[in-house]
Amino acid sequence: MNICIIGAGHVGLVTGACFADLGHRVTCLDNNRQKIQSLKRGAIPIYEPGLEELAHRNSRLGRLRFSDKFAESVNEAEVIFIAVGTPPKETGEADLTYVENVARQIATAMRSYKLVVEKSTVPVETGEWIKRTIQAYKKRQVPFDVGSNPEFLREGSAVQDFMHPDRIVIGVESQRAKNLLMELYKPLKVPIVVTDIKSAELIKHASNSFLATKISFINAIAMICEQVGADVLKVSEGMGMDRRIGPSFLSAGVGYGGSCFPKDIDAFIHIAGKSGYDFQLLKAVREINEAQKRRLVQKIEKALWILNDKTIGVLGLAFKPDTDDMRNAPAIDIIAMLQQAGAKVKAYDPQAIPLAKTLLKDVQFCQAPYEVARRSDALVVLTEWNEFKELDFVRIKKLLRQPVVADGRNIYDPKKLEQLGFRYIGVGR
Ligand code: UDX
Ligand code: UDX
């Protein structure tokens, strides 16, 4: 099938490369010409395991192309995915200007039947608006359908998530649209939930909100664990073995970040409010998440007495491992709080340093964890990269000025570190 994907960002690129790998002919469009030029040269602008290989292979096979020619690319395709950004406004509400703009452009360009599918995370009823927009702006009497096909791709495993999803959600209003989307995903052989467009839109926000709720729930439990001397790792293990609860998304830590959860939770609170429901549960989820970052800084301060003029070594800047993405990374807020208290910050991340240099001020970036530890008053882990799990703590102890380890992701064994003479600060243990 011929597909066009508008928006060659994280979601658009992965979706495009994967659809091409399933045998479809895909054109990725983007209004950023520079981005398209470098994609044409084979440069993949994001770090995502397996993506580069997939993109190169399918480009060579002629199944994946990049273009900035809007009308041409749209008209070559029958199914068009909208994967442009939906950034938050100050109120937390999603800004749908790009989506609307793309819908208008499609309307003016299309010369034959199109199925226009929203892939970006959008508020419920966006599909309705896309439909009205295309109807209002289309130049020719051609039929079209609108559909919703939310993505559930995690960064760092997006290709894997695309190829082996738990389910695919399709929101449609016509048999033709349903058949087209079913056909597109047929090679994956996974369960497909077919529903109306509004329900599909809600499934995305409800799923992300529920996952964030799990994280904040276990972070709240972690706080109680600290007060009473229990171990949150054991608590979550015991809870997670109940199949009704499940073990995933029960890792306590410095809170969730990334391009989706914080933004989607804000947006969903806003959507609920607009529909007349005050989503207090989600407001608490958000508050617990903010508190997690403050609490870690408070614990470091308690261990060092005074933060002013202390040097804090930070390991991990990305919002989670296996990505260089720092959007809403807890590290950004935590480093700002440390600096505000007068501390100097040194930092290392296996992937995110180039980006971090553009985002963080007055941070000394290092080439390796041991360099971070040298003459620091505390070592703070904010992202659970594998390479941090196997550090030589005998060496680290010699390098640190004070033997304090704040393990914001619970990756170390407190007993082992304490035996080596460290003061260990974890989350909920
Ligand atoms: C974005 C949204 O943030 C997310 O909510 C949604 O689920 C999917 O789309 P992501 O792919 O990570 O996620 O965004 P980003 O990396 O910012 O990519 C968006 C791309 O769209 C950019 O390359 C941008 O240049 C392009 N774009 C934006 C267009 O092609 N046309 C526009 O009008 C606006
Ligand atoms: C998320 C959703 O999982 C995905 O389905 C959606 O399409 C996009 O948003 P992503 O943001 O890539 O994906 O990362 P995810 O692995 O979900 O982690 C989000 C954040 O939660 C990270 O900061 C991570 O560190 C944190 N997290 C996750 C926890 O703190 N504890 C956990 O148990 C799990």
Side-chain angles (χ1 to χ4, degrees):
M1 285 172 79
N2 287 319
I3 313 172
C4 174
I5 300 197
I6 305 175
H10 220 113
V11 172
L13 275 179
V14 172
T15 305
C18 289
F19 270 136
D21 211 53
L22 297 184
H24 303 300
R25 277 186 299 279
V26 181
T27 305
C28 289
L29 263 182
D30 203 289
N31 63 358
N32 181 338
R33 293 186 80 172
Q34 234 178 331
K35 192 180 229 178
I36 290 298
Q37 288 314 320
S38 65
L39 280 166
K40 278 184 174 172
R41 286 195 303 272
I44 304 298
I46 50 167
Y47 173 77
E48 190 63 59
L51 177 62
E52 194 168 63
E53 198 258 330
L54 211 62
H56 288 173
R57 174 153 42 94
N58 285 286
S59 299
R60 265 201 314 276
L61 291 168
R63 290 195 299 234
L64 179 63
R65 291 186 305 149
F66 303 98
S67 170
D68 56 8
K69 298 203 174 63
F70 195 95
E72 186 186 303
S73 309
V74 158
N75 277 304
E76 278 166 6
E78 190 169 15
V79 186
I80 300 162
F81 286 91
I82 304 181
V84 294
T86 50
K89 296 186 196 171
E90 231 155 62
T91 51
E93 188 182 3
D95 182 349
L96 297 171
T97 315
Y98 298 144
V99 175
E100 193 257 6
N101 197 18
V102 164
R104 271 161 54 170
Q105 283 178 276
I106 296 172
T108 8
M110 66 187 203
R111 291 194 298 266
S112 55
Y113 171 84
K114 303 292 167 213
L115 166 59
V116 180
V117 186
E118 42 182 33
K119 195 77 183 155
S120 303
T121 302
V122 290
V124 59
E125 290 183 339
T126 301
E128 202 60 42
W129 279 108
I130 294 177
K131 197 161 86 186
R132 278 183 220 152
T133 306
I134 298 180
Q135 199 69 48
Y137 284 85
K138 71 177 182 176
K139 288 220 170 121
R140 299 167 189 86
Q141 274 314 313
V142 281
F144 71 95
D145 274 309
V146 170
S148 163
N149 171 220
E151 49 85 18
F152 301 97
L153 310 173
R154 285 165 302 173
E155 286 183 34
S157 58
V159 172
Q160 179 74 12
D161 288 347
F162 185 99
M163 294 297 186
H164 308 279
D166 290 340
R167 75 336 196 165
I168 287 161
V169 175
I170 285 173
V172 283
E173 282 180 335
S174 79
Q175 192 63 36
R176 185 174 187 179
K178 177 182 166 185
N179 291 347
L180 280 169
L181 285 170
M182 299 284 275
E183 187 64 27
L184 264 185
Y185 282 110
K186 206 164 144 194
L188 287 182
K189 300 189 178 67
V190 289
I192 298 185
V193 179
V194 183
T195 174
D196 59 286
I197 295 179
K198 286 181 194 164
S199 301
E201 291 169 332
L202 269 178
I203 287 171
K204 170 68 193 214
H205 267 123
S207 302
N208 272 1
S209 299
F210 191 76
L211 292 170
T213 303
K214 274 186 104 174
I215 299 171
S216 280
F217 186 87
I218 201 67
N219 280 333
I221 299 292
M223 209 192 71
I224 299 171
C225 286
E226 283 171 22
Q227 300 304 324
V228 302
D231 182 350
V232 75
L233 259 67
K234 283 289 161 200
V235 176
S236 66
E237 186 189 344
M239 285 170 63
M241 284 167 79
D242 184 327
R243 265 181 294 173
R244 294 169 302 175
I245 298 174
S248 51
F249 282 73
L250 282 184
S251 300
V254 283
Y256 58 77
S259 67
C260 289
F261 284 178
K263 174 169 77 84
D264 289 356
I265 273 73
D266 283 350
F268 205 29
I269 289 172
H270 205 275
I271 294 163
K274 247 178 154 173
S275 76
Y277 178 64
D278 181 9
F279 213 147
Q280 292 188 38
L281 175 65
L282 274 193
K283 288 181 182 169
V285 165
R286 182 168 66 182
E287 180 41 43
I288 291 168
N289 199 56
E290 291 309 306
Q292 273 320 85
K293 297 179 248 186
R294 292 195 296 271
R295 286 173 52 75
L296 188 80
V297 174
Q298 284 160 1
K299 286 190 268 182
I300 300 168
E301 184 166 29
K302 205 170 156 202
L304 295 179
W305 187 25
I306 303 286
L307 278 176
N308 190 38
D309 242 3
K310 297 280 160 47
T311 303
I312 310 294
V314 171
L315 294 184
L317 297 168
F319 81 97
K320 66 173 196 178
D322 296 319
T323 174
D324 65 346
D325 198 335
M326 284 197 59
R327 286 180 281 182
N328 288 306
I332 297 177
D333 290 342
I334 291 171
I335 288 174
M337 284 185 253
L338 290 168
Q339 289 176 327
Q340 219 157 26
K344 296 189 195 75
V345 174
K346 294 168 82 174
Y348 168 75
D349 186 284
Q351 291 289 342
I353 290 182
L355 195 71
K357 283 184 175 163
T358 68
L359 294 173
L360 303 172
K361 279 205 197 96
D362 303 320
V363 171
Q364 183 192 336
F365 294 101
C366 302
Q367 307 285 335
Y370 300 103
E371 200 185 323
V372 169
R374 184 171 294 125
R375 285 191 286 280
S376 285
D377 294 280
L379 196 64
V380 181
V381 176
L382 298 182
T383 318
E384 66 278 33
W385 285 93
N386 271 335
E387 68 169 88
F388 301 156
K389 294 179 183 163
E390 304 298 331
L391 294 179
D392 175 355
F393 274 96
V394 175
R395 187 172 162 201
I396 294 220
K397 176 127 185 289
K398 287 184 195 140
L399 292 168
L400 282 171
R401 197 179 282 148
Q402 304 196 49
V404 175
V405 172
D407 180 3
R409 297 291 184 175
N410 288 341
I411 59 175
Y412 301 124
D413 181 347
K415 283 209 184 74
K416 272 194 194 150
L417 287 192
E418 277 156 14
Q419 270 163 14
L420 288 172
F422 283 96
R423 272 181 285 156
Y424 177 87
I425 301 166
V427 180
R429 55 214 288 240

